[in-house]
PDB file of all heavy atoms in Angstrom:
ATOM      1  N   GLN A 236     -43.776 -50.392  -8.580  1.00 95.00           N
ATOM      2  CA  GLN A 236     -44.374 -50.740  -7.292  1.00 95.00           C
ATOM      3  C   GLN A 236     -44.590 -49.485  -6.433  1.00 95.00           C
ATOM      4  O   GLN A 236     -45.627 -49.316  -5.807  1.00 95.00           O
ATOM      5  CB  GLN A 236     -43.443 -51.721  -6.554  1.00 95.00           C
ATOM      6  CG  GLN A 236     -44.001 -52.215  -5.242  1.00 95.00           C
ATOM      7  CD  GLN A 236     -45.103 -53.248  -5.459  1.00 95.00           C
ATOM      8  OE1 GLN A 236     -44.853 -54.275  -6.055  1.00 95.00           O
ATOM      9  NE2 GLN A 236     -46.301 -52.951  -4.997  1.00 95.00           N
ATOM     10  N   VAL A 237     -43.577 -48.603  -6.429  1.00 95.00           N
ATOM     11  CA  VAL A 237     -43.697 -47.347  -5.661  1.00 95.00           C
ATOM     12  C   VAL A 237     -44.910 -46.558  -6.161  1.00 95.00           C
ATOM     13  O   VAL A 237     -45.706 -46.042  -5.370  1.00 95.00           O
ATOM     14  CB  VAL A 237     -42.406 -46.499  -5.799  1.00 95.00           C
ATOM     15  CG1 VAL A 237     -42.556 -45.158  -5.086  1.00 95.00           C
ATOM     16  CG2 VAL A 237     -41.197 -47.254  -5.252  1.00 95.00           C
ATOM     17  N   ILE A 238     -45.047 -46.490  -7.476  1.00 96.00           N
ATOM     18  CA  ILE A 238     -46.165 -45.741  -8.084  1.00 96.00           C
ATOM     19  C   ILE A 238     -47.501 -46.393  -7.693  1.00 96.00           C
ATOM     20  O   ILE A 238     -48.442 -45.711  -7.260  1.00 96.00           O
ATOM     21  CB  ILE A 238     -46.019 -45.745  -9.636  1.00 96.00           C
ATOM     22  CG1 ILE A 238     -44.679 -45.142 -10.073  1.00 96.00           C
ATOM     23  CG2 ILE A 238     -47.199 -45.040 -10.304  1.00 96.00           C
ATOM     24  CD1 ILE A 238     -44.435 -43.727  -9.671  1.00 96.00           C
ATOM     25  N   ALA A 239     -47.565 -47.720  -7.808  1.00 96.00           N
ATOM     26  CA  ALA A 239     -48.810 -48.433  -7.497  1.00 96.00           C
ATOM     27  C   ALA A 239     -49.175 -48.276  -6.019  1.00 96.00           C
ATOM     28  O   ALA A 239     -50.341 -48.064  -5.680  1.00 96.00           O
ATOM     29  CB  ALA A 239     -48.664 -49.911  -7.864  1.00 96.00           C
ATOM     30  N   ASP A 240     -48.151 -48.356  -5.147  1.00 95.00           N
ATOM     31  CA  ASP A 240     -48.406 -48.255  -3.699  1.00 95.00           C
ATOM     32  C   ASP A 240     -48.963 -46.888  -3.292  1.00 95.00           C
ATOM     33  O   ASP A 240     -49.603 -46.767  -2.255  1.00 95.00           O
ATOM     34  CB  ASP A 240     -47.122 -48.532  -2.907  1.00 95.00           C
ATOM     35  CG  ASP A 240     -46.730 -50.001  -2.940  1.00 95.00           C
ATOM     36  OD1 ASP A 240     -47.572 -50.832  -3.337  1.00 95.00           O
ATOM     37  OD2 ASP A 240     -45.573 -50.320  -2.583  1.00 95.00           O
ATOM     38  N   GLN A 241     -48.671 -45.864  -4.108  1.00 96.00           N
ATOM     39  CA  GLN A 241     -49.155 -44.529  -3.772  1.00 96.00           C
ATOM     40  C   GLN A 241     -50.570 -44.279  -4.298  1.00 96.00           C
ATOM     41  O   GLN A 241     -51.091 -43.177  -4.173  1.00 96.00           O
ATOM     42  CB  GLN A 241     -48.196 -43.457  -4.336  1.00 96.00           C
ATOM     43  CG  GLN A 241     -46.820 -43.451  -3.678  1.00 96.00           C
ATOM     44  CD  GLN A 241     -46.894 -43.162  -2.195  1.00 96.00           C
ATOM     45  OE1 GLN A 241     -47.557 -42.229  -1.762  1.00 96.00           O
ATOM     46  NE2 GLN A 241     -46.217 -43.980  -1.399  1.00 96.00           N
ATOM     47  N   GLY A 242     -51.160 -45.275  -4.921  1.00 95.00           N
ATOM     48  CA  GLY A 242     -52.533 -45.123  -5.416  1.00 95.00           C
ATOM     49  C   GLY A 242     -52.637 -44.176  -6.596  1.00 95.00           C
ATOM     50  O   GLY A 242     -53.637 -43.468  -6.760  1.00 95.00           O
ATOM     51  N   VAL A 243     -51.600 -44.170  -7.439  1.00 96.00           N
ATOM     52  CA  VAL A 243     -51.567 -43.265  -8.592  1.00 96.00           C
ATOM     53  C   VAL A 243     -52.501 -43.773  -9.684  1.00 96.00           C
ATOM     54  O   VAL A 243     -52.634 -44.978  -9.898  1.00 96.00           O
ATOM     55  CB  VAL A 243     -50.104 -43.180  -9.108  1.00 96.00           C
ATOM     56  CG1 VAL A 243     -50.037 -42.526 -10.473  1.00 96.00           C
ATOM     57  CG2 VAL A 243     -49.236 -42.427  -8.099  1.00 96.00           C
ATOM     58  N   LYS A 244     -53.147 -42.848 -10.375  1.00 95.00           N
ATOM     59  CA  LYS A 244     -54.030 -43.222 -11.486  1.00 95.00           C
ATOM     60  C   LYS A 244     -53.355 -42.958 -12.837  1.00 95.00           C
ATOM     61  O   LYS A 244     -53.695 -43.588 -13.837  1.00 95.00           O
ATOM     62  CB  LYS A 244     -55.349 -42.431 -11.419  1.00 95.00           C
ATOM     63  CG  LYS A 244     -56.223 -42.841 -10.259  1.00 95.00           C
ATOM     64  CD  LYS A 244     -56.953 -44.169 -10.529  1.00 95.00           C
ATOM     65  CE  LYS A 244     -57.604 -44.705  -9.272  1.00 95.00           C
ATOM     66  NZ  LYS A 244     -56.885 -45.850  -8.711  1.00 95.00           N
ATOM     67  N   ALA A 245     -52.433 -41.970 -12.877  1.00 96.00           N
ATOM     68  CA  ALA A 245     -51.785 -41.629 -14.147  1.00 96.00           C
ATOM     69  C   ALA A 245     -50.304 -41.378 -13.925  1.00 96.00           C
ATOM     70  O   ALA A 245     -49.919 -40.633 -13.019  1.00 96.00           O
ATOM     71  CB  ALA A 245     -52.431 -40.382 -14.746  1.00 96.00           C
ATOM     72  N   LEU A 246     -49.480 -42.046 -14.746  1.00 97.00           N
ATOM     73  CA  LEU A 246     -48.039 -41.801 -14.731  1.00 97.00           C
ATOM     74  C   LEU A 246     -47.693 -41.061 -16.008  1.00 97.00           C
ATOM     75  O   LEU A 246     -48.147 -41.440 -17.095  1.00 97.00           O
ATOM     76  CB  LEU A 246     -47.281 -43.137 -14.673  1.00 97.00           C
ATOM     77  CG  LEU A 246     -45.759 -43.072 -14.882  1.00 97.00           C
ATOM     78  CD1 LEU A 246     -45.071 -42.416 -13.690  1.00 97.00           C
ATOM     79  CD2 LEU A 246     -45.186 -44.475 -15.095  1.00 97.00           C
ATOM     80  N   ILE A 247     -46.890 -39.993 -15.874  1.00 97.00           N
ATOM     81  CA  ILE A 247     -46.440 -39.253 -17.059  1.00 97.00           C
ATOM     82  C   ILE A 247     -44.942 -39.486 -17.179  1.00 97.00           C
ATOM     83  O   ILE A 247     -44.180 -39.157 -16.266  1.00 97.00           O
ATOM     84  CB  ILE A 247     -46.732 -37.745 -16.928  1.00 97.00           C
ATOM     85  CG1 ILE A 247     -48.232 -37.504 -16.729  1.00 97.00           C
ATOM     86  CG2 ILE A 247     -46.235 -36.989 -18.162  1.00 97.00           C
ATOM     87  CD1 ILE A 247     -48.592 -36.050 -16.412  1.00 97.00           C
ATOM     88  N   ALA A 248     -44.503 -40.095 -18.293  1.00 96.00           N
ATOM     89  CA  ALA A 248     -43.081 -40.425 -18.451  1.00 96.00           C
ATOM     90  C   ALA A 248     -42.741 -40.450 -19.935  1.00 96.00           C
ATOM     91  O   ALA A 248     -43.619 -40.658 -20.772  1.00 96.00           O
ATOM     92  CB  ALA A 248     -42.791 -41.790 -17.819  1.00 96.00           C
ATOM     93  N   PRO A 249     -41.455 -40.207 -20.266  1.00 94.00           N
ATOM     94  CA  PRO A 249     -41.100 -40.245 -21.684  1.00 94.00           C
ATOM     95  C   PRO A 249     -41.131 -41.647 -22.259  1.00 94.00           C
ATOM     96  O   PRO A 249     -41.347 -41.843 -23.442  1.00 94.00           O
ATOM     97  CB  PRO A 249     -39.682 -39.667 -21.722  1.00 94.00           C
ATOM     98  CG  PRO A 249     -39.168 -39.721 -20.333  1.00 94.00           C
ATOM     99  CD  PRO A 249     -40.331 -39.803 -19.407  1.00 94.00           C
ATOM    100  N   ARG A 250     -40.891 -42.638 -21.416  1.00 90.00           N
ATOM    101  CA  ARG A 250     -40.930 -44.020 -21.869  1.00 90.00           C
ATOM    102  C   ARG A 250     -40.997 -44.925 -20.642  1.00 90.00           C
ATOM    103  O   ARG A 250     -40.817 -44.475 -19.516  1.00 90.00           O
ATOM    104  CB  ARG A 250     -39.690 -44.362 -22.695  1.00 90.00           C
ATOM    105  CG  ARG A 250     -38.421 -44.199 -21.905  1.00 90.00           C
ATOM    106  CD  ARG A 250     -37.207 -44.382 -22.779  1.00 90.00           C
ATOM    107  NE  ARG A 250     -36.025 -44.212 -21.965  1.00 90.00           N
ATOM    108  CZ  ARG A 250     -34.869 -43.720 -22.419  1.00 90.00           C
ATOM    109  NH1 ARG A 250     -34.770 -43.319 -23.664  1.00 90.00           N
ATOM    110  NH2 ARG A 250     -33.830 -43.616 -21.618  1.00 90.00           N
ATOM    111  N   CYS A 251     -41.226 -46.190 -20.901  1.00 90.00           N
ATOM    112  CA  CYS A 251     -41.428 -47.115 -19.796  1.00 90.00           C
ATOM    113  C   CYS A 251     -41.140 -48.523 -20.296  1.00 90.00           C
ATOM    114  O   CYS A 251     -41.501 -48.888 -21.410  1.00 90.00           O
ATOM    115  CB  CYS A 251     -42.874 -46.953 -19.326  1.00 90.00           C
ATOM    116  SG  CYS A 251     -43.446 -48.185 -18.188  1.00 90.00           S
ATOM    117  N   GLY A 252     -40.460 -49.323 -19.489  1.00 90.00           N
ATOM    118  CA  GLY A 252     -40.105 -50.690 -19.896  1.00 90.00           C
ATOM    119  C   GLY A 252     -41.265 -51.667 -19.790  1.00 90.00           C
ATOM    120  O   GLY A 252     -42.275 -51.376 -19.143  1.00 90.00           O
ATOM    121  N   GLU A 253     -41.083 -52.830 -20.406  1.00 91.00           N
ATOM    122  CA  GLU A 253     -42.165 -53.840 -20.447  1.00 91.00           C
ATOM    123  C   GLU A 253     -42.556 -54.343 -19.065  1.00 91.00           C
ATOM    124  O   GLU A 253     -43.737 -54.484 -18.777  1.00 91.00           O
ATOM    125  CB  GLU A 253     -41.700 -55.047 -21.276  1.00 91.00           C
ATOM    126  CG  GLU A 253     -41.916 -54.878 -22.752  1.00 91.00           C
ATOM    127  CD  GLU A 253     -41.322 -56.032 -23.557  1.00 91.00           C
ATOM    128  OE1 GLU A 253     -40.751 -56.964 -22.955  1.00 91.00           O
ATOM    129  OE2 GLU A 253     -41.436 -55.980 -24.785  1.00 91.00           O
ATOM    130  N   ASN A 254     -41.553 -54.650 -18.214  1.00 93.00           N
ATOM    131  CA  ASN A 254     -41.869 -55.186 -16.892  1.00 93.00           C
ATOM    132  C   ASN A 254     -42.614 -54.158 -16.047  1.00 93.00           C
ATOM    133  O   ASN A 254     -43.573 -54.482 -15.363  1.00 93.00           O
ATOM    134  CB  ASN A 254     -40.600 -55.635 -16.169  1.00 93.00           C
ATOM    135  CG  ASN A 254     -40.035 -56.932 -16.740  1.00 93.00           C
ATOM    136  OD1 ASN A 254     -40.769 -57.716 -17.330  1.00 93.00           O
ATOM    137  ND2 ASN A 254     -38.752 -57.152 -16.563  1.00 93.00           N
ATOM    138  N   ALA A 255     -42.136 -52.900 -16.118  1.00 94.00           N
ATOM    139  CA  ALA A 255     -42.799 -51.832 -15.374  1.00 94.00           C
ATOM    140  C   ALA A 255     -44.227 -51.676 -15.882  1.00 94.00           C
ATOM    141  O   ALA A 255     -45.172 -51.551 -15.097  1.00 94.00           O
ATOM    142  CB  ALA A 255     -42.031 -50.527 -15.523  1.00 94.00           C
ATOM    143  N   ALA A 256     -44.384 -51.712 -17.209  1.00 94.00           N
ATOM    144  CA  ALA A 256     -45.708 -51.558 -17.807  1.00 94.00           C
ATOM    145  C   ALA A 256     -46.638 -52.674 -17.348  1.00 94.00           C
ATOM    146  O   ALA A 256     -47.824 -52.456 -17.096  1.00 94.00           O
ATOM    147  CB  ALA A 256     -45.591 -51.558 -19.322  1.00 94.00           C
TER     148      ALA A 256
END
Side-chain angles (χ1 to χ4, degrees):
Chain A
Q236 183 75 60
V237 176
I238 302 300
D240 288 346
Q241 293 299 312
V243 167
K244 290 283 169 254
L246 170 70
I247 301 173
R250 61 187 180 211
C251 169
E253 275 174 1
N254 286 336

